[in-house]
């Protein structure tokens, strides 16, 4: 790619962004003929002002357009750009099931292929590879929607189940990357589909996604009420209960606790986390039923996270140091561990220990770089660390800050 003339690079990236020459010319304020000549190398691109304008329209780094190594940016490799956001939005706004009601259903992808693709997407998320996931999501959403619209009879419930999972994956990664309204839309779609899939546990996990999005949008109280309401409906009785039900029930309680921490309701936080701890003890270990990573270790991670949200960084650090067993923690998937280390970095920052806060970010970055480099809350922590560090920050911190796009 680097050896291509600049006009060919413009044509390549214009094609990647799915823009016609006319659309590109209109956005640039030039004629289609001008664009065609630039792309064929007949006309030179020698004005930096025009180059920067082209790079802005193509949503890319101008250095990459010039065939050089791009400047380090938070969204250059691991995160999401606005073109991808719009593609995901377009996929979420499709109504294949309604079209299929009036017309013949589209030819669907085989359900075996869909199962593999959905499982791969979950693992991509739980390994913290958000950039890879967001690039794959538009097609995955379209395929899952087509399957849900086309399959009927004995396959209808499974197709709906797979679509519900894809919506949940989309909601989770979009919330982490700061696209809260789209995260809520995807989660809301997931709840509706879960009802058609006739799976109360899928609906329960969909509820946690909705509530997470509500919390991110500043609506913690309705999120708390909804989590508790659905948790009560799925509460296990004294008789034998499935591990999956215990996991979903426990996650509803944990997400309720996180919502309660946002409104400073420490009593509810304690009650809900203790209830989740009872479910985890009954489960007997850390598992990944319904992609929850639920178990005793995850309960302690949420205990620390809730303490941070309540402003009690000291308590969060205490939980981290005394209550989390290292072998069990190390057995969790990278996203969970990196997320916890980000929470602990916040806890250390709250008690003024910027050195350990920075070390926690570095550890999280080594586990799942996107969890640290892409999340807005991580940028806030890094800015706080840099502001409170006396003199020049240690070189590993300065380098990570540069990767994150946070000014030193």
């Amino acid at each position: 790619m680097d050896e291509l003339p600049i006009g060919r690079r413009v044509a390549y990236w214009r094609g990647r962004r799915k823009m016609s020459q006319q659309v590109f010319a209109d956005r640039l304020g030039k004629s289609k003929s001008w664009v065609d000549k630039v792309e064929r190398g007949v006309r030179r691109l020698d004005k930096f002002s025009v180059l920067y304008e082209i790079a802005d329209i193509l949503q890319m780094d101008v250095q990459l357009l010039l065939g050089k190594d791009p400047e380090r940016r938070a969204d250059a490799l691991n995160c999401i750009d606005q073109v991808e956001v719009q593609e995901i939005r377009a996929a979420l706004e499709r109504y294949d099931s309604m079209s299929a009601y009036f017309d013949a259903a589209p030819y669907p992808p085989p359900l075996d292929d869909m199962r593999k693709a959905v499982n791969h997407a979950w693992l991509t998320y739980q390994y913290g590879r958000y950039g890879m996931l967001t690039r794959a999501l538009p097609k995955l959403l379209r395929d899952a929607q087509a399957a849900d619209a086309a399959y009927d009879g004995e396959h209808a419930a499974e197709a709906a189940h797979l679509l519900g999972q894809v919506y949940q994956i989309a909601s989770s990664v979009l919330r982490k990357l700061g696209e809260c309204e789209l995260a809520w839309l995807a989660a809301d779609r997931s709840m509706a589909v879960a009802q058609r899939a006739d799976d109360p546990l899928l609906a329960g996990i969909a509820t946690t996604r909705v509530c997470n999005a509500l919390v991110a949008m500043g609506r913690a109280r309705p999120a708390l009420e909804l989590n508790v309401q659905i948790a009560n409906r799925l509460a296990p009785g004294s008789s034998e209960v499935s591990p999956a039900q215990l996991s979903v029930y426990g996650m509803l309680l944990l997400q309720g606790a996180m919502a309660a921490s946002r409104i400073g309701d420490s009593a509810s936080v304690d009650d809900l986390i203790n209830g989740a701890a009872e479910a985890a003890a009954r489960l007997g270990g850390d598992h990944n039923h319904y992609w929850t990573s639920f178990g005793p270790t995850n309960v302690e991670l949420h205990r620390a996270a809730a303490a941070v949200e309540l402003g009690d960084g000291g308590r969060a650090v205490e939980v981290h140091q005394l209550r989390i067993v290292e072998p069990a923690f190390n057995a969790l998937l990278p996203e969970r561990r990196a997320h916890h280390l980000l929470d602990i970095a916040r806890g250390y920052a709250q008690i003024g220990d910027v050195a350990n806060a920075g070390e926690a970010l570095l550890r999280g970055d080594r586990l799942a770089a996107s969890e640290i480099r892409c999340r807005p809350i991580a940028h806030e922590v890094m800015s706080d660390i840099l502001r409170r560090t006396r003199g020049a920050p240690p070189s590993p911190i300065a380098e990570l800050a540069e990767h994150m796009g946070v000014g030193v």
Side-chain angles (χ1 to χ4, degrees):
M1 188 69 185
D2 290 354
E3 65 275 9
L4 290 179
I6 189 168
R8 292 279 301 280
R9 284 196 293 273
V10 170
Y12 170 81
W13 287 105
R14 176 182 59 76
R16 283 283 300 271
R17 299 318 191 199
K18 297 181 173 60
M19 282 187 219
S20 67
Q21 282 189 336
Q22 187 63 62
V23 169
F24 180 58
D26 291 344
R27 294 186 183 181
L28 195 57
K30 303 286 187 180
S31 67
K32 181 182 176 183
S33 172
W34 185 92
V35 170
D36 182 65
K37 288 177 181 177
V38 164
E39 293 184 349
R40 289 190 292 114
V42 176
R43 188 181 186 102
R44 294 180 60 188
L45 268 180
D46 50 10
K47 288 186 177 180
F48 274 100
S49 59
V50 177
L51 283 169
Y52 275 100
E53 192 173 358
I54 288 173
D56 184 58
I57 291 169
L58 295 176
Q59 297 278 340
M60 61 183 297
D61 194 298
V62 72
Q63 298 298 317
L64 191 60
L65 186 62
L66 290 167
K68 301 177 182 178
D69 289 335
E71 297 173 0
R72 287 171 174 163
R73 289 172 40 184
D75 62 350
L77 178 62
N78 295 312
C79 305
I80 190 169
D81 65 24
Q82 287 305 304
V83 172
E84 290 163 349
V85 170
Q86 292 307 317
E87 289 184 356
I88 293 171
R89 184 189 300 278
L92 285 172
E93 290 173 349
R94 287 164 60 93
Y95 288 90
D96 278 352
S97 59
M98 184 58 71
S99 299
Y101 179 76
F102 291 102
D103 303 305
Y107 182 76
L111 286 180
D112 283 345
D113 292 350
M114 282 303 308
R115 277 193 295 272
K116 293 175 184 176
V118 171
N119 286 341
H120 182 265
W122 273 121
L123 289 172
T124 303
Y125 173 76
Q126 292 194 321
Y127 274 85
R129 296 166 183 164
Y130 303 149
M132 182 187 301
L133 180 57
T134 55
R135 287 188 289 275
L137 263 177
K139 182 179 185 303
L140 184 59
L141 280 162
R142 290 192 294 269
D143 287 348
Q145 289 163 340
D148 178 60
Y151 283 104
D152 55 16
E154 60 180 316
H155 299 299
E158 183 178 5
H161 203 286
L162 290 169
L163 176 58
Q165 291 184 62
V166 175
Y167 281 141
Q168 290 190 34
I169 295 166
S171 177
S172 296
V173 72
L174 288 166
R175 179 182 57 83
K176 280 183 178 285
L177 299 176
E179 298 292 336
C180 300
E181 291 187 2
L182 271 186
W184 177 85
L185 174 61
D188 187 66
R189 289 282 181 88
S190 175
M191 288 190 74
V193 173
Q195 295 175 46
R196 288 195 286 104
D198 194 25
D199 185 343
L201 299 184
L202 184 68
I205 287 299
T207 300
T208 69
R209 315 293 180 193
V210 168
C211 293
N212 285 342
L214 288 173
V215 169
M217 292 189 294
R219 301 181 61 196
R221 189 169 295 281
L224 168 60
E225 293 170 355
L226 181 57
N227 269 313
V228 172
Q229 177 187 356
I230 303 304
N232 287 338
R233 294 184 181 181
L234 292 177
S238 56
S239 58
E240 186 174 345
V241 64
S242 72
Q245 183 177 347
L246 283 169
S247 298
V248 173
Y249 168 72
M251 283 307 298
L252 282 159
L253 295 181
L254 290 179
Q255 296 309 318
M258 295 308 301
S261 69
R262 283 293 186 96
I263 56 177
D265 186 351
S266 58
S268 292
V269 169
D270 290 341
D271 287 345
L272 292 167
I273 288 181
N274 290 338
E278 291 176 8
R282 194 168 169 183
L283 183 64
D286 298 303
H287 299 279
N288 201 19
H289 300 293
Y290 276 73
W291 307 95
T292 57
S293 293
F294 182 73
T297 307
N298 205 357
V299 169
E300 297 306 323
L301 303 193
H302 281 79
R303 196 187 301 275
V308 171
E309 293 296 341
L310 289 166
D312 192 351
R315 172 61 175 158
V317 170
E318 180 183 312
V319 170
H320 173 68
Q321 293 176 340
L322 302 179
R323 298 182 67 105
I324 295 174
V325 180
E326 190 164 325
F329 176 72
N330 291 338
L332 295 177
L333 288 161
E335 179 273 335
R336 276 282 76 216
R337 288 183 281 159
H339 187 141
H340 171 69
L341 289 167
L342 173 54
D343 288 331
I344 293 307
R346 295 173 64 199
Y348 276 121
Q350 286 176 356
I351 61 176
D353 188 347
V354 293
N356 273 317
E359 179 59 31
L361 287 185
L362 290 170
R363 286 181 60 197
D365 184 67
R366 288 191 290 268
L367 282 168
S370 295
E371 182 70 18
I372 305 302
R373 301 184 187 192
C374 299
R375 297 194 60 190
I377 187 65
H379 289 209
E380 293 177 18
V381 176
M382 178 59 83
S383 295
D384 189 34
I385 290 170
L386 296 176
R387 180 177 55 82
R388 297 163 67 180
T389 298
R390 294 183 179 179
S395 57
I397 294 295
E399 184 175 350
L400 177 56
E402 185 181 356
H403 279 293
M404 295 171 70
V406 179
V408 179

